Amino acid sequence: MIIEKLTENAISLLKSLIETQSFSQEEENTAKLIEGWFIENEIPFKRTKNNIWATNKYFDGSKPTMLLNSHHDTVHPNTAYTKDPLKAIVEDGKLYGLGSNDAGGCLVSLIATFTNYYAEENLKYNLVIVASAEEENSGPNGLNSMLSIIPKIDVAIVGEPTLMNLAVAEKGLVVFDAQVAGTPSHAAHPNNNNSIYNTIEVLQWFKNFKFDKPSVALGDVKMTVTQINAGKQHNVVPAHTNLVIDVRVNDAYSNQEIATILQEQSPCTIIKPRSLRLNSSSISTDHDLVKAGIAMGRETYGSPTLSDQSVLSCQSLKLGPGNSKRSHSADEFIYLEEIEEGIKLYIELLNRVIV
């Protein structure tokens, strides 16, 4: 199929996806729309819960395998929308609608790219595409659940809005629940061990603490206290003050290393990670995908935002049409020309690497 027709069909699919509610864990109907694309293009596919996946026609187990992935779930629309978030509206070259930018434009562009190569023989890589669910809430039935089902992946392109520049690394995330202890008492009596006051020094420690190892692509680990909670009534000094700490991890550390450092060094009475599975990710700048992208004039950078890259253990590149700054915004949109460019650039990139 010629690229122009693929692009036309991809935009039509995106409009249908926008107008079909697909909040995380509620993606049944958008999964059906994606099934429809594969049926129409006579591409065999499989569905695992709300994840739709397929392999290229001439899959060869002796070759390395490249994953093409993006997600079809969305966040809930925020209250500042002035347009109907579930209506695909085209104005001034912009396609408005919930999920248009994050990550519908990327998803349909990758589906079109996979379709372009599906029946091609003698590719240097096998291709596996996964249109995944539950990315926005890091749910248990998203891409992470597919890794034991699909063929083993050697490298991945994860479709997220990057203005088609090369996100060669992405920060991981560890959220910690912490507690600062004190002595409970009646507020009317002296108490030199008030857990809320004790928190002042603890907060200063978190504000000043620096992890030693920076990353060329991602810079420093960023640690931020984001929640504080203590006490239930005005006349009782609480026994504990609870903190939540958000840590964005660069690729110089594993999540477990971050947890060990904080558990050994922080002044909190208790500090525990909620999960260690959302890891930082990267791809070597010597990888053929990156070298090809640079040769095409695309810039490289490190991404501070989390995606399904975090569940992959292989090298992965985040790349897609659209702008990350529009994600989760009111009146979200993507330029139609960004989708057109995205499909062309995906295909040009893969022509340089897998053909």
Side-chain angles (χ1 to χ4, degrees):
M1 188 182 298
I2 60 173
I3 293 178
E4 289 75 16
K5 185 62 176 177
L6 273 175
T7 302
E8 179 185 331
N9 291 348
I11 291 171
S12 177
L13 173 60
L14 178 54
K15 291 176 179 177
S16 297
L17 291 171
I18 289 169
E19 297 192 342
T20 305
Q21 181 176 301
S22 57
F23 305 142
S24 293
Q25 299 181 320
E26 300 176 20
E27 312 95 343
E28 296 87 354
N29 292 324
T30 48
K32 290 178 182 177
L33 291 172
I34 296 164
E35 286 180 333
W37 172 286
F38 288 108
I39 292 169
E40 184 176 339
N41 287 280
E42 300 181 343
I43 297 174
F45 67 91
K46 294 182 181 180
R47 176 170 176 167
T48 305
K49 297 189 183 300
N50 291 327
N51 302 282
I52 309 299
W53 65 281
T55 61
N56 61 303
K57 184 174 183 178
Y58 297 102
F59 188 97
D60 180 348
S62 67
K63 295 179 180 180
T65 297
M66 181 183 297
L67 170 67
L68 307 179
N69 163 251
S70 192
H71 62 94
H72 59 102
D73 65 315
T74 72
V75 296
H76 289 259
N78 66 54
T79 57
Y81 264 83
T82 64
K83 302 178 185 295
D84 185 344
L86 296 179
K87 186 171 179 60
I89 300 169
V90 177
E91 292 179 358
D92 300 322
K94 301 174 182 178
L95 174 56
Y96 288 91
L98 183 65
S100 56
N101 181 78
D102 182 17
C106 302
L107 175 64
V108 299
S109 296
L110 282 173
I111 290 174
T113 300
F114 174 84
T115 302
N116 180 73
Y117 289 105
Y118 166 72
E120 191 159 337
E121 298 185 61
N122 301 315
L123 296 175
K124 294 176 183 176
Y125 281 80
N126 300 309
L127 291 178
V128 176
I129 187 160
V130 179
S132 54
E134 298 190 16
E135 189 270 351
E136 293 291 6
N137 70 342
S138 299
N141 297 312
L143 180 62
N144 53 313
S145 70
M146 298 300 298
L147 299 179
S148 62
I149 296 172
I150 63 176
K152 179 182 177 296
I153 302 302
D154 296 282
V155 69
I157 297 175
V158 175
E160 289 285 338
T162 69
L163 293 171
M164 289 306 290
N165 287 315
L166 313 169
V168 296
E170 174 187 276
K171 283 189 173 179
L173 170 65
V174 187
V175 178
F176 290 88
D177 292 299
Q179 194 173 86
V180 180
T183 301
S185 70
H186 195 294
H189 299 307
N191 185 341
N192 293 323
N193 192 31
N194 183 319
S195 70
I196 296 176
Y197 294 160
N198 293 345
T199 304
I200 295 171
E201 290 186 5
V202 174
L203 293 175
Q204 197 65 45
W205 185 90
F206 280 109
K207 181 179 179 181
N208 294 334
F209 185 84
K210 301 293 183 185
F211 292 91
D212 292 334
K213 295 186 287 187
S215 160
V216 173
L218 294 171
D220 294 328
V221 174
K222 187 176 188 301
M223 180 163 63
T224 309
V225 178
T226 55
Q227 292 177 255
I228 301 175
N229 183 58
K232 294 185 177 179
Q233 59 191 74
H234 75 89
N235 58 352
V236 177
V237 175
H240 303 99
T241 297
N242 298 310
L243 307 177
V244 176
I245 301 102
D246 178 295
V247 183
R248 303 291 166 150
V249 184
N250 67 20
D251 54 349
Y253 292 90
S254 69
N255 287 356
Q256 182 59 64
E257 287 175 312
I258 295 294
T260 299
I261 289 168
L262 292 185
Q263 288 172 334
E264 290 178 351
Q265 299 186 35
S266 83
C268 298
T269 311
I270 299 171
I271 184 165
K272 295 181 178 179
R274 294 181 181 178
S275 169
L276 297 174
R277 67 184 180 87
L278 301 176
N279 296 287
S280 61
S281 53
S282 63
I283 187 170
S284 169
T285 53
D286 289 328
H287 195 283
D288 287 345
L289 278 173
V290 178
K291 290 194 291 187
I294 292 172
M296 291 163 54
R298 313 317 296 178
E299 297 179 0
T300 63
Y301 74 103
S303 173
T305 58
L306 201 68
S307 75
D308 268 336
Q309 276 186 287
S310 63
V311 304
L312 298 173
S313 58
C314 64
Q315 294 194 81
S316 56
L317 174 68
K318 184 157 69 177
L319 174 68
N323 187 334
S324 179
K325 292 181 180 179
R326 299 183 209 133
S327 300
H328 304 181
S329 65
D331 296 335
E332 180 183 349
F333 71 87
I334 190 168
Y335 287 100
L336 293 174
E337 65 181 17
E338 289 178 325
I339 300 172
E340 295 166 3
E341 178 192 47
I343 294 172
K344 289 177 181 177
L345 289 177
Y346 276 142
I347 290 175
E348 181 181 350
L349 180 70
L350 293 191
N351 277 341
R352 293 170 182 247
V353 177
I354 72 172
V355 174

